[in-house]
Amino acid sequence: GQQLNQSPQSMFIQEGEDVSMNCTSSSIFNTWLWYKQEPGEGPVLLIALYKAGELTSNGRLTAQFGITRKDSFLNISASIPSDVGIYFCAGQGGSEKLVFGKGTKLTVNP
Amino acid sequence: EPEVTQTPSHQVTQMGQEVILRCVPISNHLYFYWYRQILGQKVEFLVSFYNNEISEKSEIFDDQFSVERPDGSNFTLKIRSTKLEDSAMYFCASPRAGTLRGEAFFGQGTRLTVV
């Protein structure tokens, strides 16, 4: 089945640093989504991407839909302590279901 | 952000018992999904439900699982005879109103513990 490879698995950074994480797949996706999850909560949608090559920002977050439609990255600039959490990429192909990556756990040291 | 609400927030049940998880999706939306997340793992698709019918399901969604919309607003996931490995967070999700797919908004989840 479709699988997403998300990296890195975890990151430990200092407040103020920029962060980059990415997802790759052997399959083509029509939509890429990035979510953030905090302990005990549901995933919260950060950015949705619908077109190959699309670059979209949401505050300090920027995400891109790869040209090949098989990858996406998420950047966070000038990280702050509340950025802590697990970030998931999710792809949607020709059906309703979202396929999730395994997540990137972000720790920000003040 | 649109809201999807789930109840209960936490349920503990004995192995072999039936459980019903409830969701109130984004209002006036016909598309709903159930996902689950085993502790420390990724989110996995279970089933999608459109216009009162299952439109897609995963291999996880076997005969022990069922979904229905009993009263036109609530959306339920039933596990007929729970197993230890059913312990997980179960999330209901719905696309944004006015769209059919894409931006899925998730509820807070129900933590199911099977003992």
Side-chain angles (χ1 to χ4, degrees):
Chain A
Q2 293 172 311
Q3 286 197 12
L4 294 184
N5 299 309
Q6 185 171 351
S7 64
Q9 194 173 2
S10 61
M11 300 183 76
F12 297 83
I13 62 169
Q14 291 296 125
E15 184 177 357
E17 289 183 357
D18 296 344
V19 170
S20 185
M21 58 193 79
N22 70 85
C23 273
T24 60
S25 171
S26 57
S27 307
I28 287 174
F29 286 102
N30 299 322
T31 303
W32 283 93
L33 305 170
W34 283 93
Y35 288 88
K36 179 186 178 186
Q37 187 179 32
E38 298 185 28
E41 305 282 324
V44 174
L45 182 64
L46 300 174
I47 291 181
L49 302 158
Y50 294 101
K51 292 182 187 175
E54 180 181 354
L55 183 72
T56 297
S57 293
N58 178 8
R60 293 178 296 104
L61 277 60
T62 302
Q64 185 157 32
F65 190 146
I67 289 288
T68 64
R69 293 165 63 194
K70 294 182 178 181
D71 63 301
S72 177
F73 71 74
L74 174 72
N75 288 341
I76 305 172
S77 62
S79 57
I80 59 178
S82 61
D83 289 334
V84 164
I86 301 177
Y87 291 79
F88 290 98
C89 62
Q92 187 176 47
S95 68
E96 293 90 351
K97 72 177 183 184
L98 293 179
V99 178
F100 280 79
K102 292 186 177 180
T104 295
K105 185 175 182 180
L106 179 63
T107 302
V108 180
N109 296 315
Chain B
E1 183 179 297
E3 272 203 16
V4 175
T5 56
Q6 290 185 243
T7 56
S9 57
H10 191 185
Q11 179 146 3
V12 181
T13 188
Q14 293 225 323
M15 191 169 56
Q17 295 295 305
E18 174 183 283
V19 294
I20 297 177
L21 311 182
R22 293 181 169 79
C23 168
V24 179
I26 294 171
S27 59
N28 301 320
H29 214 292
L30 297 177
Y31 243 123
F32 321 118
Y33 313 102
W34 282 100
Y35 286 80
R36 81 170 186 190
Q37 185 180 32
I38 294 172
L39 185 64
Q41 298 189 24
K42 66 179 180 180
V43 178
E44 299 174 290
F45 171 78
L46 291 178
V47 66
S48 61
F49 192 80
Y50 174 67
N51 208 20
N52 295 323
E53 286 186 354
I54 290 175
S55 54
E56 186 177 356
K57 60 183 181 179
S58 72
E59 58 274 11
I60 303 170
F61 194 87
D62 61 21
D63 291 345
Q64 293 300 310
F65 291 88
S66 62
V67 291
E68 60 180 20
R69 199 177 179 200
D71 59 9
S73 59
N74 290 321
F75 179 44
T76 63
L77 174 70
K78 183 191 291 185
I79 308 175
R80 224 176 312 276
S81 178
T82 50
K83 305 187 284 286
L84 293 176
E85 53 265 37
D86 292 328
S87 295
M89 284 287 286
Y90 287 82
F91 295 107
C92 176
S94 179
R96 183 187 293 279
T99 66
L100 281 181
R101 54 177 67 180
E103 299 178 26
F105 293 91
F106 285 74
Q108 298 278 68
T110 293
R111 179 175 296 283
L112 176 64
T113 303
V114 182
V115 296

